[in-house]
Amino acid sequence: MNKDTKQIFVVGSSRSGTTMMGRILGNHPAIFTFKELHFFGTIWTNHSESTLDRKQQIDLLSRLLCIEKNGLFQQDNISDFNERASAILVNKNVSNPLSIFELFLAKMTSDNKCFIACDQTPKNMYYLNEILSYFPNAKVINMVRDQRDVLLSQKNKWKRRFLGASAIPLSEAIRSYINYHPILTAKVWNSSLEYSSNFTNNTSVRVVRFEELLVEPICIIKELCQFLEIDFHQEMLKVPVVGSSTQQDVKSQLLIDSSKKEKWKNGGLNSAEIYLSQLVSNSMMKEFKYDVEKFRLPPVLTLFYLITFPIKLTLAFILNIKRMGNIVEVINKRFFVK
């Protein structure tokens, strides 16, 4: 077991299996998996202040403690964590936001009797350069899933509130509903895969195809354990069947559900959605060996989606602006991949 690895980052396009992977790893006795923290890109960006005073340090650490305790959508009582944050910061020289984040990961992991922290926030994909620069011994698991399954999941994501995730606020369900558009969703998937392509030869990053994980879970997880230099445990395979956008949570079932593979083929997407999403992400689909469904002519509904795209894009921007730490940086990273 490699004692140098203190952090694991599970990344990828949203709805690509990052949460399932986080649960798999969290079943290992050495690993503590956090909730989605959204530190990179929301709380911290490359334009954030490099040095924080004591009050700012407490505020930042309190926010992270609040998210881990209550979840991303329940941040109304951040000040309730000030006392604990102050105690953690005693005699700690951590004025930089990244050093406070590192301290938070280490403290929470230790408190849970583990020694490897796992952050499963998907959009950390866009900050891999920054993450691997600050955490040079970290390991990254990059989840990749068929774009059309991601599309189907994103289309129905707003239903999660009614399929077992009752803690999700109605406003978040509405945001998820507005966010969906086949062109926009495919563009975000494509940009995340372009980032994946940039790290193909990086020894600290391992790409895992979600479909392969579903079909050969023991083989894939054992390979990941070798990559992470940890022992394989059979308990890692016992994952609750929760989190789907298309079916009710079944917490009592503990398994890796292979039925999630190629669900788009069973319906749920119309031909125009498939056509447009493939058009936008064609190059990355081919690079990652996903077969493209052929069309003789553009489907009838294609025009509808083209007309509504600017409207949906504007609404999505408005509803997501509060989640962008720096608007210019977020747009550049998502839509102008170098």
Side-chain angles (χ1 to χ4, degrees):
M1 188 174 288
N2 187 358
K3 298 292 184 181
D4 292 332
T5 299
K6 302 296 183 185
Q7 304 87 17
I8 300 169
F9 293 89
V10 181
V11 304
S13 180
S14 178
R15 314 305 298 175
S16 290
T18 52
T19 301
M20 179 186 284
M21 180 55 68
R23 292 190 180 112
I24 290 169
L25 296 175
N27 284 339
H28 193 284
I31 300 172
F32 177 69
T33 296
F34 288 76
K35 291 183 172 70
E36 289 190 14
L37 299 171
H38 290 256
F39 176 79
F40 295 96
T42 298
I43 299 175
W44 178 89
T45 73
N46 287 294
H47 300 274
S48 298
E49 292 183 51
S50 58
T51 304
L52 305 180
D53 60 34
R54 201 58 170 182
K55 182 181 182 305
Q56 290 171 318
Q57 294 169 29
I58 292 170
D59 288 345
L60 172 54
L61 186 51
S62 295
R63 184 175 180 184
L64 289 168
L65 290 167
C66 180
I67 292 172
E68 178 54 31
K69 176 70 174 178
N70 300 331
L72 187 65
F73 307 124
Q74 306 293 333
Q75 297 186 53
D76 296 330
N77 61 332
I78 291 175
S79 60
D80 292 353
F81 296 84
N82 285 357
E83 186 175 340
R84 187 180 180 194
S86 297
I88 294 173
L89 288 167
V90 169
N91 298 323
K92 298 290 193 305
N93 183 24
V94 285
S95 59
N96 183 282
L98 286 166
S99 60
I100 292 173
F101 180 61
E102 182 179 20
L103 172 65
F104 163 74
L105 293 179
K107 175 63 177 170
M108 293 298 295
T109 302
S110 175
D111 286 353
N112 284 277
K113 297 180 173 53
C114 299
F115 61 85
I116 302 177
C118 177
D119 182 349
Q120 57 171 332
T121 309
K123 70 176 184 179
N124 284 346
M125 178 80 247
Y126 298 102
Y127 285 86
L128 284 190
N129 283 319
E130 292 86 344
I131 287 170
L132 292 174
S133 176
Y134 191 83
F135 300 103
N137 294 317
K139 299 287 189 179
V140 176
I141 298 174
N142 180 189
M143 299 300 298
V144 174
R145 187 183 189 185
D146 189 316
Q147 181 266 125
R148 291 152 299 192
D149 274 323
V150 171
L151 196 69
L152 177 63
S153 187
Q154 290 286 20
K155 182 179 182 178
N156 293 287
K157 186 180 177 182
W158 65 275
K159 297 178 183 178
R160 280 295 305 135
R161 187 173 191 267
F162 313 101
L163 294 173
S166 57
I168 295 176
L170 180 60
S171 59
E172 176 60 18
I174 293 171
R175 188 187 72 85
S176 295
Y177 180 81
I178 296 296
N179 273 351
Y180 175 76
H181 190 283
I183 296 176
L184 179 59
T185 302
K187 177 59 181 172
V188 172
W189 180 89
N190 196 70
S191 70
S192 74
L193 269 290
E194 287 176 337
Y195 268 93
S196 298
S197 183
N198 291 338
F199 288 89
T200 300
N201 298 319
N202 192 306
T203 56
S204 296
V205 180
R206 178 63 55 90
V207 173
V208 175
R209 289 168 60 99
F210 187 58
E211 295 80 13
E212 292 178 357
L213 174 64
L214 297 180
V215 175
E216 299 181 296
I218 296 176
C219 177
I220 297 300
I221 295 170
K222 282 185 175 180
E223 288 178 359
L224 281 177
C225 286
Q226 291 181 344
F227 168 66
L228 298 171
E229 298 181 76
I230 58 176
D231 297 327
F232 170 76
H233 288 254
Q234 198 71 27
E235 292 294 313
M236 297 174 78
L237 297 167
K238 297 179 180 180
V239 180
V241 182
V242 299
S244 173
S245 298
T246 57
Q247 64 187 50
Q248 191 72 35
D249 289 350
V250 187
K251 295 180 181 179
S252 59
Q253 279 191 293
L254 299 176
L255 51 87
I256 294 177
D257 184 9
S258 61
S259 70
K260 296 181 185 293
K261 181 176 182 283
E262 297 184 333
K263 291 188 77 171
W264 70 275
K265 291 185 176 180
N266 299 324
L269 296 175
N270 62 52
S271 56
E273 289 173 303
I274 297 170
Y275 171 78
L276 283 169
S277 64
Q278 291 183 164
L279 192 66
V280 171
S281 58
N282 186 272
S283 60
M284 284 297 106
M285 287 185 71
K286 287 182 177 179
E287 181 168 335
F288 285 84
K289 296 180 172 57
Y290 287 110
D291 294 332
V292 175
E293 191 167 289
K294 295 180 180 180
F295 291 86
R296 279 189 171 185
L297 295 170
V300 176
L301 281 175
T302 300
L303 183 59
F304 166 77
Y305 287 114
L306 290 173
I307 292 171
T308 58
F309 178 58
I311 300 169
K312 274 295 192 86
L313 184 62
T314 301
L315 290 173
F317 177 80
I318 293 169
L319 291 177
N320 287 278
I321 195 167
K322 288 185 178 180
R323 303 183 74 170
M324 302 179 192
N326 181 279
I327 296 172
V328 175
E329 181 171 296
V330 168
I331 291 173
N332 282 336
K333 283 182 174 288
R334 294 285 180 101
F335 301 108
F336 298 97
V337 182
K338 296 179 180 179

